[in-house]
Amino acid sequence: MALVKTPNRQLDDSQQIKLVQESNLELHGIDVVPDNERTSTLKDIFFVFLGSQMCFGIIVLGSLPITFGLSFYDALSSISVGLFIGSILFALLAPLGARTGTSGTVASGAHFGLRGRIFGTIIAIFTGLGFFSLTVWTGGEAIAAAAAKLLGWEVSKNLLAIGAAIIGLLVISAAIYGHKIIVATEKFVSYAVAAVLILISISLFHNFNPAYAGRELALGSVTATWYLSMAIAAALPVSYGIFLNDYTRYLPKDISGTKTILSAGAGIYIGCWIALVFAAAVTTMFVDVTAPFVSGLMGMVAWWGVILLALVGIVGSQPQGSLCIYGAGLGLQSLFPKFSRVNSTLILAVLGIALVFIGIYIVDMVNMVIAFLAIDQCALAPWLAINIIGYRFVNKAKYSSEALFENQGKYWFTAGFNLNAVFAWISGFITGLMFIHTEFYSGPLTNLFGGVSLEWLFAGVVGGLIYYILEKISGRIR
């Protein structure tokens, strides 16, 4: 087998071989995966992005259209359309990992420059920490809510912290082992959690009214509120774009780009759709649709349903949380190559757990999550747009993996930065910030479209368009 060549290599060849043979620990970090170890399949990619949606951190987002006042059918259509748009944008970058054999943040150096990939690195760390924290928090909430109903305990901050700690340990353990374990658990969770959601749906079906007409609309009209819901749904698949190539890098280099796009896109669309539509349907049955989703759901089901939902909180949280903190760890390693993948993951995991505890004991976690999502999308959308354009129109799917690690090489540009991409990303990010609204900051153009959350869309369009024009002027697009 090919041996791992990483900047911080501390084991000799025989020790590495023994370690690989005796455990599932992934030794690869940001280095290029050798051709003979790239054994993932399109089915693996499909299940990675389907299974990662089967957790309360994602499911809970499906309750938002109902809390915004939409009817069930309006919620259903806005979720379906939004996810379709977002899944296309997400999947278009899927072949990049297979063509380069390395992580998304490192591969972005072909478009941003070797030093310019720091933008993707920071986004990966920020996104990974945010979604890891959200997943651990909601998983812990499921444990606390189950304990409260089954044992009569009060849902205290300490109980939430204990639940979050349990989820955190499980998530971190899988992330440390790496790619193989994460892929395997995604497949199991896809089937297991989907089965639980089906059982819960059947048990609650007699209370479900598909003609639920909604309530007072968040933005005053059905159209504006529908677009708000659609934009949030579309942003969900887009948010995974930074981690996509951490998994497609294990596909064979010559695999079909079209099939890779379809596998990744279908996986994330189906997974998100199941999770969000389930939550939307359940929320219509709440006496108070603004009640916390997890505790509200726990209060509606029998004791066996509580146990199953607690297991969803535990088992379902692991793949999602592991995927996010694993990707963030790869991002940190690309920033500090002397760190190993394992050490990078551990550092960020500790920071992520600290953020969860801050959210439980000090800051309102809900407001913190909303602010994170808004800012994260403004940063991620132009990064994704620039990389898609770079893959499709500039490099035309042809890359030199070796040059991604060579100073003064093909992807060095100007002092390590492609100034076209840097200027385009900054322009897109600033544009997005002008439209966001959070408890901590609101942009000057927040109300221009009646409160509809289009900040990520404007950020992506502006960043991508400027990059395309500048690359065309520079002669790199022909």
Side-chain angles (χ1 to χ4, degrees):
M1 62 170 288
L3 299 177
V4 181
K5 308 294 183 183
T6 58
N8 61 312
R9 189 164 168 253
Q10 298 176 341
L11 302 176
D12 62 32
D13 293 350
S14 62
Q15 288 175 313
Q16 288 199 42
I17 292 173
K18 183 178 180 181
L19 186 58
V20 170
Q21 291 175 338
E22 294 181 355
S23 81
N24 288 314
L25 182 68
E26 179 189 9
L27 294 179
H28 288 297
I30 60 171
D31 55 308
V32 177
V33 180
D35 289 345
N36 65 330
E37 294 183 35
R38 294 168 65 173
T39 57
S40 283
T41 65
L42 295 174
K43 184 179 179 180
D44 291 332
I45 300 303
F46 173 84
F47 278 108
V48 161
F49 293 103
L50 189 156
S52 57
Q53 316 313 315
M54 299 292 111
C55 67
F56 282 119
I58 300 301
I59 293 171
V60 69
L61 298 178
S63 66
L64 293 179
I66 303 300
T67 64
F68 292 158
L70 290 177
S71 68
F72 173 73
Y73 286 121
D74 285 334
L76 177 63
S77 62
S78 65
I79 288 171
S80 300
V81 173
L83 289 179
F84 183 75
I85 295 171
S87 296
I88 292 174
L89 297 174
F90 159 83
L92 285 174
L93 195 60
L96 178 62
R99 301 295 179 257
T100 61
T102 188
S103 68
T105 53
V106 172
S108 71
H111 312 131
F112 281 83
L114 265 62
R115 288 176 174 169
R117 72 189 187 197
I118 189 174
F119 293 100
T121 295
I122 294 172
I123 295 169
I125 293 172
F126 187 72
T127 305
L129 280 175
F131 276 100
F132 168 82
S133 301
L134 175 62
T135 301
V136 170
W137 169 52
T138 52
E141 186 182 14
I143 294 177
K149 182 164 183 177
L150 294 175
L151 303 175
W153 294 353
E154 179 185 356
V155 180
S156 64
K157 291 183 178 180
N158 290 337
L159 185 58
L160 287 170
I162 292 171
I166 293 171
I167 299 297
L169 288 174
L170 179 64
V171 167
I172 294 166
S173 298
I176 288 172
Y177 269 94
H179 175 267
K180 186 175 181 180
I181 291 296
I182 295 174
V183 171
T185 55
E186 297 282 12
K187 292 180 181 179
F188 168 75
V189 167
S190 296
Y191 290 111
V193 175
V196 170
L197 297 184
I198 290 172
L199 286 174
I200 296 298
S201 298
I202 292 173
S203 72
L204 296 176
F205 184 75
H206 64 284
N207 292 323
F208 174 56
N209 177 17
Y212 173 80
R215 51 192 287 274
E216 183 179 354
L217 294 162
L219 298 184
S221 71
V222 173
T223 300
T225 307
W226 187 92
Y227 275 106
L228 171 64
S229 174
M230 184 275 291
I232 292 174
L236 179 56
V238 170
S239 66
Y240 283 87
I242 196 75
F243 304 129
L244 174 58
N245 294 290
D246 297 344
Y247 296 89
T248 59
R249 65 186 177 135
Y250 277 92
L251 291 171
K253 187 174 184 177
D254 58 353
I255 197 165
S256 167
T258 300
K259 291 181 179 179
T260 303
I261 290 171
L262 291 174
S263 296
I268 202 163
Y269 181 85
I270 294 172
C272 289
W273 192 89
I274 292 172
L276 269 58
V277 171
F278 169 81
V282 167
T283 306
T284 64
M285 305 179 214
F286 286 4
V287 174
D288 177 11
V289 297
T290 63
F293 177 78
V294 176
S295 57
L297 176 57
M298 292 283 189
M300 294 172 58
V301 298
W303 64 268
W304 59 267
V306 174
I307 294 174
L308 289 178
L309 290 171
L311 291 175
V312 169
I314 298 172
V315 176
S317 297
Q318 178 270 304
Q320 161 74 356
S322 297
L323 179 147
C324 293
I325 204 66
Y326 170 83
L330 290 175
L332 183 61
Q333 191 191 15
S334 71
L335 192 61
F336 299 103
K338 291 186 178 181
F339 288 1
S340 69
R341 181 192 64 80
V342 172
N343 289 340
S344 298
T345 302
L346 281 173
I347 291 170
L348 292 178
V350 171
L351 179 57
I353 292 294
L355 289 175
V356 173
F357 288 160
I358 289 172
I360 291 174
Y361 288 104
I362 300 175
V363 181
D364 185 332
M365 190 74 177
V366 174
N367 288 333
M368 189 166 71
V369 167
I370 291 174
F372 149 73
L373 288 173
I375 296 173
D376 180 66
Q377 295 303 321
C378 290
L380 181 56
W383 181 90
L384 185 63
I386 289 167
N387 280 290
I388 291 173
I389 292 170
Y391 177 85
R392 297 284 164 187
F393 300 104
V394 180
N395 291 284
K396 298 181 179 177
K398 296 179 181 179
Y399 293 87
S400 168
S401 299
E402 294 75 15
L404 289 168
F405 298 90
E406 294 176 352
N407 290 345
Q408 310 298 329
K410 180 179 180 180
Y411 304 125
W412 188 246
F413 297 101
T414 304
F417 294 92
N418 180 355
L419 299 181
N420 292 346
V422 172
F423 178 75
W425 181 84
I426 292 174
S427 300
F429 182 54
I430 292 175
T431 299
L433 291 179
M434 296 178 72
F435 289 90
I436 70 170
H437 172 70
T438 72
E439 290 293 321
F440 306 99
Y441 166 79
S442 291
L445 302 179
T446 296
N447 296 317
L448 187 61
F449 292 93
V452 179
S453 298
L454 297 175
E455 61 271 4
W456 68 271
L457 181 60
F458 287 115
V461 169
V462 169
L465 185 60
I466 291 176
Y467 175 67
Y468 183 89
I469 292 172
L470 292 178
E471 290 291 272
K472 187 78 172 176
I473 292 172
S474 300
R476 298 192 187 106
I477 295 179
R478 298 176 181 176

